[in-house]
Each structure stands twice: as structure tokens, then as C-alpha cells.
Amino acid sequence: MKLTVDDLAILGGRPAFAEKLYVGRPNIGDRTRLLVRLNDILDTRWLTNGGPYVESFEGRITELTGVKHCIATCNATVALEIAIRALGLVGEVLIPSFTFVATAHALQWQQIRPVFCDIDPKTHCMDPRSVEAMITPRTTGIIGVHLWGRACYVNALTEIAARHKLTLLFDAAHAFGCSDRGRMIGSFGEAEVFSFHATKFVNSLEGGAVVTNNNALARKLRLMRNFGFTGYDKVNYVGTNGKMTEVCAAVGLTSLEALNEIVEVNRRNYEVYRENLDVLPGVSVIEYDPTEHNNYHYIVAEIDPASAPLNRDELLAILLNENVLARRYFWPGCHRMEPYRTLYPNSHLFLPQTERVAAQVMSLPTGQTITPEIIRAICDIIRAAFENAGEIRKILEEKTAV
Ligand SMILES: *Cc1c(COP(=O)(O)O)cnc(C)c1O
């Protein structure tokens, strides 16, 4: 397909797609096997509280990651909260600002200050030099985030944590099925947290997990997940309700069975995007190290305003007109969201790379519902927009002037 000026919706053409294309549209496993499991759950009337599906979901996670313990939860935010609490973090904890806001909220929720560190613009992961620079006498821990599924600087963070006697935890919400130097993500630091939210690589509708090799920590986390119950009528610990339901575990198990298939679709999509976008001026798609396990779940393109004819936000507006709902993850950075921008108004002074990268990246639709044909059409829209950049910019300026 070769688009002409008149084809672009923003110039008066019809949208290229009749239906909206979303980033993070859920992948779904085998429906028949799922329905068998759901019927079984209804037949046995064991809907939650330590049932067999949660147990086997946790078992599969430990097998696939090689970690000793998996504590499945209702979502990853609660998993982060109980991991932070079980590890005794207080005071200040270092995290990247360039992450989903839950990483920060899980700390602030329990009166711990998230201290925002800058990223390495090459990897989008927290820069260990920035981490080291932000340590104060009140710092008790570091939460590394494996952004887009690419391992953050695990070695350097481990070394810094050891030298300063800090607790190291990882937000691995993006990184299920990914590896670092050949070792599956899950076994680094004191613990790692996965998300199985509907929009993630593997999903259980809503869901999350803490994984750890530490026996005592695992025991504490299990108590915290279930109100601190140690037996019938016996509570020994302060806890919350962080349990995963049997239905969620059944969806999760079915999703895990489709794991290889989803990676293949994601990888194919990623390659088509790269082929068609990397040839455009000022556009680059992030790289995944081919020597590692990757889930290829995120298609992240950087639009360099110095060399691309249109900037990121202009491209988003053009794509939106064509029913392509690309997203600017993770703009504007946690430090520019409330309550953080009011509580810590000077954070941006330490985050130049975060601010620059957050203004240049966009996430594009992928997953089971996106075909190579759709991707070529999306890339064609961007190419045609670049070719007509002058005219389009004028229209966009008129629109925003009104
Ligand atoms: C999705 C996500 C979370 C939160 O996961 P939920 O399961 O939705 O609570 C936390 N951190 C990051 C980096 C995420 O992308």
C-alpha cells in the first residue's frame, strides 16, 4: 500500500483503520482449556484462599524462572507493597522516575519517600551513577525496574546495594520470560515482582507475584498476603488481603501455556516494525539483546526531534486520527505526577535524561491482534506524515490555536 496525501485522515482522508488499535490489548490463551478450568472451579466451589489453581500457577512460575518461592497476589502493586513492607524498607528508597507510577505509589502509600533517579538514555533503565549520587543517610533500599523487559543494571545495582548496606528489590512487571546474562529474571536482589495484569505479557486478568529465594521472606510474604493468618482463628502478624483468586490463576495458567506462541507473535511484530521504522529519519525502535530471552512485549520507538520531520506528539495526533492509539509511556515521568511534583518540586533538576527520553518515546500496538499487514500500514502512515510534514504541522498548529 502506498499512501498519498489525501489518504491521511488529518488531511481530510478516511481513518486507515475502521476500529481503534490499542496498545496493551490483552493476549488470550486457549479458550477451550480455560473453560474446562473455569467449570472445574465452579464445580468444586473453591474460588479463592489457597486453592489448587493458585498453587499450580505458583509452581509453574517457580519452574519457569528457577526461583524457589512464588507468592501470587491480586496484582503487582500489592505485591510491591508487601515486598517493601516485609523487607522493612523505611525512610527513602531509590527508584527511577521513568516507570509506571505504581513503583512510586507502593512506597508513598506506606510513608516511604520515593527518591527519583535518572536513566541511561541508551537503555531507559536507571543509571547506577545517578543511584549512587542520590544515596543519603535515610536511604534503606533500591528498587530497580527492568523497563520494557530489558534487565536493568543488575550487577552495578547489586554492588552499590552491598557497599551501602541497602536492600535491593526489583520491579520486574515488564520482564516475565526475560533473562539477564542468561539467567532468568526473578532471582536477582532480595526479591522481584511480576505483574500479570491484562495488558502484560502473561496475564491472569489482574494478578502479580513476588518471587524470592529467601525462605524467611517467603514465609512473611505469605502471612502478609492473607491477613497474617497462621491457622484457623489464629493471627500472628499484621497483613492485608493480597490473594489471587482461582479464576485469575486459571487464566494465568492458560496464558502461560500460550507463552511461546505469544513470544513468536511479538517477535515477528517487533521485526516488522523495526524494518519499516528504522529507515525513517530520526526514528529508532529500541533493541532487544538477541543473546537473551526476551518477551518482545513492548514496541517502543524514539522520535528524535532534531532529525525527524515531526515530533513525537505530532505523530501521536496523526496516528490518533487514523485510529492508532499509540501511547507515550512513561510520560511525563512519576516526578511530574501528583503528589510527587508538589512534595518534591525540584526532582526534575536531577532528571535531565528522563525528561528528554520521556518526551521522545511512544509505544505502538502489538500482540495477537496485530498482523504484519497492520504494522506496515501504521509505518506507512508515519512515512506519509513525514513526507507531508509542512502541511500537517500547519493544520496541527491551527487546531491547537483555537
Ligand atoms: C503494570 C506495572 C505495575 C503494576 O502492576 P499491576 O499488576 O497493574 O498492579 C508496576 N510496575 C510497572 C513497571 C508496571 O508496568
Side-chain angles (χ1 to χ4, degrees):
M1 175 169 58
K2 196 82 181 159
L3 288 173
T4 68
V5 185
D6 303 328
D7 292 324
L8 289 174
I10 200 150
L11 297 176
R14 250 191 300 174
F17 301 98
E19 281 179 31
K20 290 185 168 61
L21 303 180
Y22 295 96
V23 173
R25 189 125 188 254
N27 292 317
I28 291 176
D30 187 274
R31 191 180 296 233
T32 315
R33 300 180 77 151
L34 175 61
L35 292 176
V36 169
R37 290 181 166 130
L38 295 184
N39 274 323
D40 183 48
I41 290 168
L42 296 178
D43 288 343
T44 59
R45 293 178 191 258
W46 196 342
L47 307 183
T48 186
N49 286 16
Y53 286 92
V54 168
E55 196 178 314
S56 70
F57 182 69
E58 292 180 340
R60 281 301 287 147
I61 300 294
T62 60
E63 282 166 22
L64 289 163
T65 57
V67 184
K68 217 157 144 191
H69 305 283
C70 171
I71 295 89
T73 58
C74 51
N75 60 57
T77 305
V78 166
L80 279 169
E81 284 167 9
I82 63 175
I84 287 162
R85 188 174 284 245
L87 287 166
L89 298 183
V90 293
E92 297 177 0
V93 171
L94 307 172
I95 66 165
S97 172
F98 196 56
T99 176
F100 182 58
V101 72
T103 321
H105 281 352
L107 293 163
Q108 189 69 38
W109 187 254
Q110 36 200 342
Q111 285 78 50
I112 301 164
R113 172 176 178 169
V115 173
F116 299 117
C117 301
D118 209 2
I119 53 169
D120 177 345
K122 283 200 294 292
T123 63
H124 298 181
C125 285
M126 191 157 63
D127 185 339
R129 285 169 306 181
S130 174
V131 171
E132 187 121 37
M134 300 302 264
I135 294 173
T136 75
R138 294 173 299 281
T139 310
T140 59
I142 303 171
I143 304 180
V145 180
H146 306 298
L147 208 77
W148 317 134
R150 302 189 298 183
C152 56
Y153 295 95
V154 172
N155 259 0
L157 293 181
T158 305
E159 189 272 319
I160 292 170
R163 193 150 36 81
H164 294 272
K165 300 194 167 37
L166 303 175
T167 299
L168 180 60
L169 173 67
F170 289 99
D171 178 339
H174 295 184
F176 188 75
C178 302
S179 66
D180 181 41
R181 287 156 296 152
R183 188 162 135 199
M184 293 312 283
I185 284 174
S187 60
F188 299 107
E190 282 302 315
E192 302 208 50
V193 170
F194 293 121
S195 173
F196 303 111
H197 181 257
T199 56
K200 299 301 205 287
F201 169 56
V202 164
N203 90 78
S204 62
L205 307 178
E206 289 268 4
V210 189
V211 290
T212 179
N213 284 316
N214 179 330
N215 299 338
L217 178 64
R219 207 172 315 118
K220 226 181 207 181
L221 289 164
R222 287 188 192 286
L223 288 173
M224 282 188 171
R225 175 179 64 174
N226 189 30
F227 312 100
F229 272 108
T230 52
Y232 281 125
D233 311 323
K234 215 171 142 200
V235 171
N236 278 2
Y237 212 82
V238 62
T240 184
N241 180 357
K243 300 187 298 294
M244 176 181 271
T245 69
E246 288 291 278
V247 169
C248 287
V251 174
L253 279 166
T254 314
S255 181
L256 284 175
E257 287 166 354
L259 188 138
N260 291 332
E261 187 188 308
I262 300 169
V263 175
E264 272 320 299
V265 166
N266 284 348
R267 205 228 304 253
R268 176 203 66 192
N269 287 353
Y270 168 72
E271 279 162 10
V272 180
Y273 269 117
R274 277 203 82 179
E275 247 165 63
N276 289 278
L277 287 182
D278 278 353
V279 295
L280 299 178
V283 181
S284 54
V285 177
I286 60 158
E287 289 180 35
Y288 291 107
D289 181 346
T291 67
E292 300 285 359
H293 291 278
N294 297 296
N295 59 30
Y296 299 95
H297 186 65
Y298 296 93
I299 308 290
V300 180
E302 287 187 66
I303 318 298
D304 178 0
S307 46
L310 293 164
N311 66 35
R312 190 270 314 266
D313 289 338
E314 289 165 335
L315 272 185
L316 280 174
I318 292 154
L319 289 168
L320 180 64
N321 271 275
E322 306 287 352
N323 277 337
V324 180
L325 280 72
R327 299 289 305 269
R328 34 186 184 182
Y329 295 143
F330 286 101
W331 186 84
C334 296
H335 68 289
R336 290 206 178 264
M337 294 178 171
E338 292 296 353
Y340 311 109
R341 62 180 299 151
T342 299
L343 287 174
Y344 320 119
N346 294 322
S347 301
H348 65 280
L349 298 174
F350 301 92
L351 304 168
Q353 301 302 333
T354 301
E355 299 236 305
R356 199 173 59 75
V357 172
Q360 297 187 13
V361 296
M362 66 177 176
S363 267
L364 290 155
T366 184
Q368 286 171 329
T369 59
I370 304 295
T371 63
E373 198 187 359
I374 293 174
I375 295 167
R376 285 190 203 100
I378 292 172
C379 299
D380 265 356
I381 293 164
I382 298 174
R383 185 187 46 72
F386 277 5
E387 286 166 7
N388 300 285
E391 196 172 340
I392 288 174
R393 184 164 281 153
K394 241 187 287 157
I395 292 173
L396 286 170
E397 277 165 8
E398 277 162 24
K399 276 192 181 174
T400 47
V402 188

mmCIF file of all heavy atoms in Angstrom, residues 183-219:
data_model
loop_
_atom_site.group_PDB
_atom_site.id
_atom_site.type_symbol
_atom_site.label_atom_id
_atom_site.label_comp_id
_atom_site.label_asym_id
_atom_site.label_seq_id
_atom_site.Cartn_x
_atom_site.Cartn_y
_atom_site.Cartn_z
ATOM 1 N N ARG A 183 20.560 -15.689 32.790
ATOM 2 C CA ARG A 183 19.797 -16.136 33.970
ATOM 3 C C ARG A 183 18.427 -15.476 33.950
ATOM 4 O O ARG A 183 18.326 -14.265 33.721
ATOM 5 C CB ARG A 183 20.577 -15.730 35.221
ATOM 6 C CG ARG A 183 20.016 -16.295 36.491
ATOM 7 C CD ARG A 183 21.092 -16.206 37.583
ATOM 8 N NE ARG A 183 20.519 -15.715 38.821
ATOM 9 C CZ ARG A 183 21.231 -15.201 39.822
ATOM 10 N NH1 ARG A 183 22.530 -15.070 39.708
ATOM 11 N NH2 ARG A 183 20.632 -14.799 40.911
ATOM 12 N N MET A 184 17.386 -16.284 34.177
ATOM 13 C CA MET A 184 16.029 -15.744 34.113
ATOM 14 C C MET A 184 15.825 -14.666 35.172
ATOM 15 O O MET A 184 16.243 -14.818 36.326
ATOM 16 C CB MET A 184 14.962 -16.834 34.299
ATOM 17 C CG MET A 184 14.898 -17.854 33.167
ATOM 18 S SD MET A 184 14.868 -17.151 31.505
ATOM 19 C CE MET A 184 13.166 -16.598 31.412
ATOM 20 N N ILE A 185 15.173 -13.589 34.788
ATOM 21 C CA ILE A 185 14.807 -12.550 35.742
ATOM 22 C C ILE A 185 13.826 -13.149 36.742
ATOM 23 O O ILE A 185 12.960 -13.939 36.368
ATOM 24 C CB ILE A 185 14.240 -11.330 34.981
ATOM 25 C CG1 ILE A 185 15.422 -10.582 34.351
ATOM 26 C CG2 ILE A 185 13.409 -10.429 35.885
ATOM 27 C CD1 ILE A 185 15.058 -9.451 33.450
ATOM 28 N N GLY A 186 14.010 -12.808 38.006
ATOM 29 C CA GLY A 186 13.206 -13.370 39.085
ATOM 30 C C GLY A 186 14.079 -13.675 40.294
ATOM 31 O O GLY A 186 13.632 -13.618 41.436
ATOM 32 N N SER A 187 15.351 -13.998 40.026
ATOM 33 C CA SER A 187 16.201 -14.444 41.136
ATOM 34 C C SER A 187 17.218 -13.396 41.573
ATOM 35 O O SER A 187 18.129 -13.690 42.322
ATOM 36 C CB SER A 187 16.913 -15.732 40.747
ATOM 37 O OG SER A 187 17.715 -15.500 39.609
ATOM 38 N N PHE A 188 17.055 -12.158 41.083
ATOM 39 C CA PHE A 188 18.020 -11.127 41.460
ATOM 40 C C PHE A 188 17.529 -10.346 42.684
ATOM 41 O O PHE A 188 16.323 -10.278 42.948
ATOM 42 C CB PHE A 188 18.268 -10.187 40.279
ATOM 43 C CG PHE A 188 18.848 -10.905 39.079
ATOM 44 C CD1 PHE A 188 18.076 -11.156 37.954
ATOM 45 C CD2 PHE A 188 20.160 -11.365 39.099
ATOM 46 C CE1 PHE A 188 18.603 -11.840 36.857
ATOM 47 C CE2 PHE A 188 20.697 -12.045 38.010
ATOM 48 C CZ PHE A 188 19.921 -12.286 36.884
ATOM 49 N N GLY A 189 18.474 -9.772 43.418
ATOM 50 C CA GLY A 189 18.136 -8.987 44.605
ATOM 51 C C GLY A 189 17.493 -9.854 45.675
ATOM 52 O O GLY A 189 17.566 -11.085 45.633
ATOM 53 N N GLU A 190 16.843 -9.202 46.649
ATOM 54 C CA GLU A 190 16.155 -9.955 47.714
ATOM 55 C C GLU A 190 14.881 -10.596 47.178
ATOM 56 O O GLU A 190 14.445 -11.647 47.649
ATOM 57 C CB GLU A 190 15.789 -9.023 48.868
ATOM 58 C CG GLU A 190 16.928 -8.682 49.794
ATOM 59 C CD GLU A 190 17.559 -9.912 50.433
ATOM 60 O OE1 GLU A 190 16.816 -10.797 50.895
ATOM 61 O OE2 GLU A 190 18.805 -9.980 50.436
ATOM 62 N N ALA A 191 14.260 -9.910 46.233
ATOM 63 C CA ALA A 191 13.002 -10.404 45.659
ATOM 64 C C ALA A 191 12.724 -9.635 44.378
ATOM 65 O O ALA A 191 13.280 -8.553 44.156
ATOM 66 C CB ALA A 191 11.853 -10.202 46.648
ATOM 67 N N GLU A 192 11.871 -10.203 43.527
ATOM 68 C CA GLU A 192 11.435 -9.499 42.326
ATOM 69 C C GLU A 192 9.914 -9.622 42.236
ATOM 70 O O GLU A 192 9.326 -10.574 42.751
ATOM 71 C CB GLU A 192 12.085 -10.090 41.064
ATOM 72 C CG GLU A 192 13.617 -10.051 41.114
ATOM 73 C CD GLU A 192 14.259 -9.975 39.734
ATOM 74 O OE1 GLU A 192 13.840 -9.104 38.941
ATOM 75 O OE2 GLU A 192 15.168 -10.781 39.461
ATOM 76 N N VAL A 193 9.315 -8.640 41.571
ATOM 77 C CA VAL A 193 7.847 -8.597 41.482
ATOM 78 C C VAL A 193 7.416 -8.631 40.018
ATOM 79 O O VAL A 193 7.875 -7.819 39.208
ATOM 80 C CB VAL A 193 7.302 -7.329 42.175
ATOM 81 C CG1 VAL A 193 5.822 -7.139 41.875
ATOM 82 C CG2 VAL A 193 7.522 -7.416 43.684
ATOM 83 N N PHE A 194 6.548 -9.575 39.688
ATOM 84 C CA PHE A 194 5.974 -9.655 38.335
ATOM 85 C C PHE A 194 4.553 -9.116 38.345
ATOM 86 O O PHE A 194 3.856 -9.211 39.364
ATOM 87 C CB PHE A 194 5.911 -11.113 37.850
ATOM 88 C CG PHE A 194 7.253 -11.753 37.620
ATOM 89 C CD1 PHE A 194 7.617 -12.894 38.321
ATOM 90 C CD2 PHE A 194 8.140 -11.225 36.693
ATOM 91 C CE1 PHE A 194 8.854 -13.496 38.105
ATOM 92 C CE2 PHE A 194 9.382 -11.816 36.476
ATOM 93 C CZ PHE A 194 9.738 -12.951 37.182
ATOM 94 N N SER A 195 4.109 -8.597 37.193
ATOM 95 C CA SER A 195 2.696 -8.243 37.030
ATOM 96 C C SER A 195 2.075 -9.160 35.994
ATOM 97 O O SER A 195 2.682 -9.453 34.958
ATOM 98 C CB SER A 195 2.534 -6.797 36.562
ATOM 99 O OG SER A 195 1.164 -6.555 36.255
ATOM 100 N N PHE A 196 0.861 -9.618 36.296
ATOM 101 C CA PHE A 196 0.089 -10.414 35.339
ATOM 102 C C PHE A 196 -1.212 -9.687 35.014
ATOM 103 O O PHE A 196 -2.253 -10.301 34.792
ATOM 104 C CB PHE A 196 -0.158 -11.824 35.900
ATOM 105 C CG PHE A 196 1.119 -12.535 36.260
ATOM 106 C CD1 PHE A 196 1.446 -12.795 37.579
ATOM 107 C CD2 PHE A 196 2.030 -12.894 35.261
ATOM 108 C CE1 PHE A 196 2.644 -13.420 37.910
ATOM 109 C CE2 PHE A 196 3.229 -13.513 35.583
ATOM 110 C CZ PHE A 196 3.536 -13.780 36.914
ATOM 111 N N HIS A 197 -1.121 -8.357 34.989
ATOM 112 C CA HIS A 197 -2.268 -7.533 34.583
ATOM 113 C C HIS A 197 -2.639 -7.847 33.132
ATOM 114 O O HIS A 197 -1.785 -8.269 32.337
ATOM 115 C CB HIS A 197 -1.887 -6.057 34.727
ATOM 116 C CG HIS A 197 -2.983 -5.124 34.365
ATOM 117 N ND1 HIS A 197 -3.017 -4.449 33.163
ATOM 118 C CD2 HIS A 197 -4.113 -4.784 35.029
ATOM 119 C CE1 HIS A 197 -4.122 -3.732 33.119
ATOM 120 N NE2 HIS A 197 -4.802 -3.905 34.234
ATOM 121 N N ALA A 198 -3.892 -7.617 32.798
ATOM 122 C CA ALA A 198 -4.415 -7.917 31.460
ATOM 123 C C ALA A 198 -3.529 -7.410 30.325
ATOM 124 O O ALA A 198 -3.433 -8.039 29.274
ATOM 125 C CB ALA A 198 -5.821 -7.328 31.331
ATOM 126 N N THR A 199 -2.884 -6.263 30.532
ATOM 127 C CA THR A 199 -2.092 -5.653 29.453
ATOM 128 C C THR A 199 -0.669 -6.188 29.388
ATOM 129 O O THR A 199 0.087 -5.803 28.498
ATOM 130 C CB THR A 199 -1.980 -4.135 29.661
ATOM 131 O OG1 THR A 199 -1.415 -3.921 30.970
ATOM 132 C CG2 THR A 199 -3.324 -3.463 29.572
ATOM 133 N N LYS A 200 -0.298 -7.054 30.324
ATOM 134 C CA LYS A 200 1.090 -7.513 30.368
ATOM 135 C C LYS A 200 1.283 -8.752 29.487
ATOM 136 O O LYS A 200 0.326 -9.322 28.967
ATOM 137 C CB LYS A 200 1.492 -7.791 31.816
ATOM 138 C CG LYS A 200 1.415 -6.574 32.747
ATOM 139 C CD LYS A 200 2.308 -5.428 32.295
ATOM 140 C CE LYS A 200 2.755 -4.467 33.376
ATOM 141 N NZ LYS A 200 1.760 -3.537 33.907
ATOM 142 N N PHE A 201 2.541 -9.159 29.373
ATOM 143 C CA PHE A 201 2.932 -10.275 28.507
ATOM 144 C C PHE A 201 2.158 -11.563 28.848
ATOM 145 O O PHE A 201 1.532 -12.176 27.980
ATOM 146 C CB PHE A 201 4.445 -10.465 28.656
ATOM 147 C CG PHE A 201 4.993 -11.724 28.059
ATOM 148 C CD1 PHE A 201 4.782 -12.036 26.723
ATOM 149 C CD2 PHE A 201 5.748 -12.592 28.839
ATOM 150 C CE1 PHE A 201 5.305 -13.199 26.177
ATOM 151 C CE2 PHE A 201 6.278 -13.746 28.303
ATOM 152 C CZ PHE A 201 6.051 -14.044 26.975
ATOM 153 N N VAL A 202 2.222 -11.974 30.094
ATOM 154 C CA VAL A 202 1.404 -13.091 30.569
ATOM 155 C C VAL A 202 0.348 -12.486 31.463
ATOM 156 O O VAL A 202 0.663 -11.620 32.276
ATOM 157 C CB VAL A 202 2.267 -14.098 31.359
ATOM 158 C CG1 VAL A 202 1.404 -15.045 32.188
ATOM 159 C CG2 VAL A 202 3.162 -14.888 30.409
ATOM 160 N N ASN A 203 -0.909 -12.870 31.322
ATOM 161 C CA ASN A 203 -1.911 -12.230 32.168
ATOM 162 C C ASN A 203 -2.843 -13.209 32.850
ATOM 163 O O ASN A 203 -3.140 -14.296 32.350
ATOM 164 C CB ASN A 203 -2.679 -11.154 31.382
ATOM 165 C CG ASN A 203 -3.914 -11.679 30.690
ATOM 166 O OD1 ASN A 203 -4.943 -11.887 31.326
ATOM 167 N ND2 ASN A 203 -3.826 -11.911 29.388
ATOM 168 N N SER A 204 -3.292 -12.769 34.035
ATOM 169 C CA SER A 204 -4.273 -13.527 34.817
ATOM 170 C C SER A 204 -5.483 -12.613 35.080
ATOM 171 O O SER A 204 -6.016 -12.627 36.169
ATOM 172 C CB SER A 204 -3.640 -13.991 36.128
ATOM 173 O OG SER A 204 -3.259 -12.886 36.913
ATOM 174 N N LEU A 205 -5.870 -11.812 34.118
ATOM 175 C CA LEU A 205 -6.869 -10.742 34.243
ATOM 176 C C LEU A 205 -6.241 -9.611 35.053
ATOM 177 O O LEU A 205 -5.794 -8.619 34.500
ATOM 178 C CB LEU A 205 -8.167 -11.221 34.893
ATOM 179 C CG LEU A 205 -8.852 -12.456 34.291
ATOM 180 C CD1 LEU A 205 -10.094 -12.832 35.088
ATOM 181 C CD2 LEU A 205 -9.191 -12.254 32.823
ATOM 182 N N GLU A 206 -6.231 -9.769 36.377
ATOM 183 C CA GLU A 206 -5.427 -8.972 37.286
ATOM 184 C C GLU A 206 -4.557 -9.962 38.024
ATOM 185 O O GLU A 206 -5.005 -11.080 38.321
ATOM 186 C CB GLU A 206 -6.299 -8.233 38.316
ATOM 187 C CG GLU A 206 -7.137 -7.091 37.781
ATOM 188 C CD GLU A 206 -6.445 -5.726 37.848
ATOM 189 O OE1 GLU A 206 -5.259 -5.652 38.250
ATOM 190 O OE2 GLU A 206 -7.105 -4.742 37.486
ATOM 191 N N GLY A 207 -3.349 -9.584 38.366
ATOM 192 C CA GLY A 207 -2.522 -10.501 39.134
ATOM 193 C C GLY A 207 -1.092 -10.041 39.214
ATOM 194 O O GLY A 207 -0.655 -9.181 38.450
ATOM 195 N N GLY A 208 -0.382 -10.616 40.172
ATOM 196 C CA GLY A 208 1.034 -10.295 40.334
ATOM 197 C C GLY A 208 1.676 -11.381 41.162
ATOM 198 O O GLY A 208 1.009 -12.353 41.556
ATOM 199 N N ALA A 209 2.971 -11.246 41.430
ATOM 200 C CA ALA A 209 3.657 -12.217 42.267
ATOM 201 C C ALA A 209 4.950 -11.627 42.786
ATOM 202 O O ALA A 209 5.577 -10.808 42.108
ATOM 203 C CB ALA A 209 3.963 -13.485 41.477
ATOM 204 N N VAL A 210 5.308 -12.041 44.003
ATOM 205 C CA VAL A 210 6.656 -11.792 44.494
ATOM 206 C C VAL A 210 7.391 -13.113 44.367
ATOM 207 O O VAL A 210 6.859 -14.158 44.771
ATOM 208 C CB VAL A 210 6.674 -11.361 45.978
ATOM 209 C CG1 VAL A 210 8.076 -10.897 46.374
ATOM 210 C CG2 VAL A 210 5.648 -10.278 46.259
ATOM 211 N N VAL A 211 8.580 -13.094 43.812
ATOM 212 C CA VAL A 211 9.399 -14.305 43.769
ATOM 213 C C VAL A 211 10.692 -14.040 44.536
ATOM 214 O O VAL A 211 11.240 -12.931 44.479
ATOM 215 C CB VAL A 211 9.704 -14.773 42.324
ATOM 216 C CG1 VAL A 211 8.443 -15.300 41.650
ATOM 217 C CG2 VAL A 211 10.325 -13.677 41.486
ATOM 218 N N THR A 212 11.138 -15.044 45.273
ATOM 219 C CA THR A 212 12.345 -14.886 46.092
ATOM 220 C C THR A 212 12.958 -16.247 46.403
ATOM 221 O O THR A 212 12.258 -17.263 46.429
ATOM 222 C CB THR A 212 12.023 -14.148 47.415
ATOM 223 O OG1 THR A 212 13.222 -14.035 48.195
ATOM 224 C CG2 THR A 212 10.962 -14.870 48.235
ATOM 225 N N ASN A 213 14.260 -16.235 46.648
ATOM 226 C CA ASN A 213 14.943 -17.454 47.095
ATOM 227 C C ASN A 213 15.086 -17.490 48.613
ATOM 228 O O ASN A 213 15.648 -18.434 49.159
ATOM 229 C CB ASN A 213 16.333 -17.551 46.445
ATOM 230 C CG ASN A 213 16.237 -17.970 44.986
ATOM 231 O OD1 ASN A 213 15.480 -18.877 44.642
ATOM 232 N ND2 ASN A 213 16.974 -17.291 44.121
ATOM 233 N N ASN A 214 14.591 -16.452 49.287
ATOM 234 C CA ASN A 214 14.752 -16.313 50.731
ATOM 235 C C ASN A 214 13.562 -16.957 51.466
ATOM 236 O O ASN A 214 12.427 -16.472 51.376
ATOM 237 C CB ASN A 214 14.866 -14.802 51.019
ATOM 238 C CG ASN A 214 15.022 -14.482 52.485
ATOM 239 O OD1 ASN A 214 14.537 -15.207 53.355
ATOM 240 N ND2 ASN A 214 15.699 -13.371 52.752
ATOM 241 N N ASN A 215 13.834 -18.045 52.197
ATOM 242 C CA ASN A 215 12.760 -18.811 52.856
ATOM 243 C C ASN A 215 11.988 -17.971 53.877
ATOM 244 O O ASN A 215 10.758 -18.006 53.916
ATOM 245 C CB ASN A 215 13.328 -20.023 53.608
ATOM 246 C CG ASN A 215 14.031 -20.995 52.672
ATOM 247 O OD1 ASN A 215 13.769 -20.992 51.463
ATOM 248 N ND2 ASN A 215 14.923 -21.806 53.196
ATOM 249 N N ALA A 216 12.714 -17.241 54.720
ATOM 250 C CA ALA A 216 12.057 -16.468 55.787
ATOM 251 C C ALA A 216 11.199 -15.365 55.172
ATOM 252 O O ALA A 216 10.070 -15.114 55.616
ATOM 253 C CB ALA A 216 13.109 -15.869 56.716
ATOM 254 N N LEU A 217 11.719 -14.730 54.134
ATOM 255 C CA LEU A 217 10.967 -13.662 53.466
ATOM 256 C C LEU A 217 9.694 -14.225 52.835
ATOM 257 O O LEU A 217 8.614 -13.639 52.931
ATOM 258 C CB LEU A 217 11.843 -12.997 52.395
ATOM 259 C CG LEU A 217 11.187 -11.889 51.577
ATOM 260 C CD1 LEU A 217 10.799 -10.703 52.461
ATOM 261 C CD2 LEU A 217 12.125 -11.415 50.450
ATOM 262 N N ALA A 218 9.815 -15.409 52.216
ATOM 263 C CA ALA A 218 8.653 -16.032 51.569
ATOM 264 C C ALA A 218 7.567 -16.312 52.607
ATOM 265 O O ALA A 218 6.377 -16.079 52.365
ATOM 266 C CB ALA A 218 9.079 -17.322 50.866
ATOM 267 N N ARG A 219 7.962 -16.791 53.784
ATOM 268 C CA ARG A 219 7.006 -17.098 54.846
ATOM 269 C C ARG A 219 6.276 -15.827 55.279
ATOM 270 O O ARG A 219 5.056 -15.801 55.421
ATOM 271 C CB ARG A 219 7.746 -17.730 56.031
ATOM 272 C CG ARG A 219 6.884 -18.659 56.878
ATOM 273 C CD ARG A 219 7.704 -19.426 57.930
ATOM 274 N NE ARG A 219 8.945 -19.985 57.421
ATOM 275 C CZ ARG A 219 10.177 -19.640 57.857
ATOM 276 N NH1 ARG A 219 10.326 -18.743 58.806
ATOM 277 N NH2 ARG A 219 11.243 -20.212 57.332
#
